[in-house]
């Protein structure tokens, strides 16, 4: 075995390596741009496939749709990571949606959503649990420490009690708050 061969730059591999690096940089760049686009754009991208679902109307009717604060929280604010690399990974996982869109019978109908709501909701909740509801905390930055005085006493108490627990015993936002943007299925 010639150990030096491992370190010798071989023309073949360096081109391969360059290609790999090039593709990775290109893909990351592409998704980083996408993220910027999404951050500044509307929910249209999501609703292009979910167009017959009541999801957007539900958001608008919720506290996250405008109401008192006049803020309409966008789909991606809650559902996609803010970090471009994680965003890219989630997007690739989400791209199963493309496959589903093409293969699930009657997907883009309200009847399908009503029928599959529980299963879809549980799937969505998995993401929030896996990230300790990072998307929620991105906006709600003062839930655990330095809570505003205007917050309901009962809410403050619940949040404080939860925060006092060890990190791995703590509940995450969506464990207590379901249906903050959509109709959460009961039962
Ligand atoms: C290409 C069409 C398409 C687009 C675009 C799309 N979706 Fe979906 N979405 C689907 C399909 C199909 C399913 C059901 C997938 C399944 O059950 O296999 C789904 C399921 C979901 C679910 C529930 C299951 C899960 O993965 O958590 C959420 C949440 C969701 N979409 C959010 C979004 C958001 C947010 C956007 C915009 C960033 C979006 N979707 C864009 C087609 C799409
Ligand atoms: C883009 C910022 C943003 C994100 C992301 C976000 N929220 Fe909110 N949230 C708000 C705003 C703004 C309000 C309205 C505050 C008001 O009306 O005074 C609100 C209100 C709420 C309320 C009070 C609801 C009510 O009925 O009064 C709860 C509970 C809540 N959010 C939980 C969550 C949870 C859980 C998540 C993650 C799944 C989340 N939020 C994600 C900005 C956000
Ligand atoms: C252990 C359960 C629990 C956890 C975990 C929890 N909350 Fe709450 N939260 C409550 C309860 C109970 C209330 C008061 C009842 C209500 O208004 O829905 C509340 C109220 C709120 C309110 C409304 C406050 C007001 O004065 O109107 C917001 C906003 C909120 N929570 C956000 C969050 C966010 C974001 C997280 C995650 C960082 C979180 N909560 C984690 C139980 C919890
Ligand atoms: C404030 C955060 C928030 C916003 C904004 C939001 N979602 Fe969700 N979404 C959730 C949470 C949390 C769940 C998990 C189920 C639940 O608690 O209702 C969920 C569940 C879903 C599901 C699974 C089916 C269901 O109804 O539970 C789909 C599909 C979905 N969201 C799509 C969207 C689309 C499309 C938009 C934009 C029009 C959007 N969401 C906006 C937080 C949000």
């Amino acid at each position: 075995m010639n150990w030096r061969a491992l370190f010798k730059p071989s023309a073949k591999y360096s081109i391969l390596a360059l290609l790999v690096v090039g593709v990775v940089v290109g893909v990351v760049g592409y998704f980083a741009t996408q993220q910027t686009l999404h951050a500044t754009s509307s929910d249209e991208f999501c609703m292009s496939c979910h167009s017959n679902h009541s999801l957007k109307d539900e958001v608008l009717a919720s506290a996250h749709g405008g109401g008192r604060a006049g803020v309409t929280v966008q789909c991606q604010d809650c559902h996609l990571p803010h970090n471009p690399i994680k965003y890219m990974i989630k997007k690739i996982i989400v791209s199963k949606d493309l496959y589903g869109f093409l293969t699930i019978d009657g997907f883009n109908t309200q009847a399908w959503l009503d029928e599959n709501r529980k299963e879809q909701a549980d799937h969505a909740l998995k993401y929030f649990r896996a990230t300790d509801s990072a998307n929620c905390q991105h906006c709600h930055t003062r839930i655990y420490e330095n809570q505003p005085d205007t917050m309901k006493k009962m809410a403050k108490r619940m949040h404080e009690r939860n925060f006092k627990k060890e990190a791995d015993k703590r509940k995450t936002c969506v464990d207590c708050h379901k249906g903050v943007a959509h109709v959460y299925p009961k039962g």
Side-chain angles (χ1 to χ4, degrees):
M1 174 96 197
N2 181 357
W3 290 101
R4 256 186 296 168
L6 278 179
F7 302 99
K8 212 165 49 187
S10 127
K12 197 167 114 206
Y13 284 109
S14 54
I15 286 170
L16 185 67
L18 272 178
L19 270 177
V20 169
V21 169
V23 167
V24 168
V25 167
V27 168
V28 169
Y30 172 75
F31 280 102
T33 316
Q34 286 269 303
Q35 191 198 26
T36 320
L37 283 176
H38 281 165
T40 53
S41 75
S42 59
D43 298 330
E44 272 158 33
F45 168 68
C46 309
M47 292 310 288
S48 62
C49 286
H50 291 277
S51 60
N52 294 322
H53 294 158
S54 51
L55 299 160
K56 172 109 192 185
D57 296 337
E58 292 162 6
V59 174
L60 289 174
S62 77
H64 289 103
R68 279 183 292 161
V71 175
T72 301
V73 181
Q74 304 288 295
C75 315
Q76 61 270 21
D77 291 336
C78 282
H79 286 289
L80 294 175
H82 291 275
N83 171 315
I85 308 278
K86 289 188 185 145
Y87 179 89
M88 182 186 79
I89 293 166
K90 167 107 174 157
K91 271 283 212 180
I92 290 166
I93 297 168
V94 163
S95 70
K96 77 161 174 36
D97 287 10
L98 185 59
Y99 177 76
F101 188 72
L102 298 172
T103 54
I104 298 172
D105 215 25
F107 164 74
N108 197 9
T109 60
Q110 187 60 31
W112 183 88
L113 181 63
D114 291 341
E115 209 167 291
N116 294 280
R117 180 86 81 161
K118 179 87 172 79
E119 188 196 337
Q120 295 294 312
D122 287 342
H123 203 285
L125 286 169
K126 259 190 214 150
Y127 165 69
F128 291 100
R129 294 206 173 99
T131 55
D132 192 15
S133 310
N135 289 66
C136 315
Q137 301 208 45
H138 188 82
C139 289
H140 294 277
T141 51
R142 290 169 60 202
I143 294 298
Y144 289 141
E145 286 166 294
N146 192 20
Q147 296 194 77
D149 292 333
T150 47
M151 193 171 270
K152 281 185 212 145
K153 282 213 173 60
M154 138 106 126
K156 274 181 110 159
R157 210 178 321 124
M158 291 298 280
H159 295 153
E160 264 159 31
R161 203 187 296 163
N162 188 52
F163 192 60
K164 273 190 207 133
K165 291 185 184 159
E166 284 169 53
D168 61 329
K169 300 223 171 72
R170 221 173 272 160
K171 291 201 158 117
T172 193
C173 314
V174 298
D175 288 334
C176 296
H177 296 286
K178 291 199 177 58
V180 292
H182 315 285
V183 186
Y184 182 72
K186 299 188 178 77

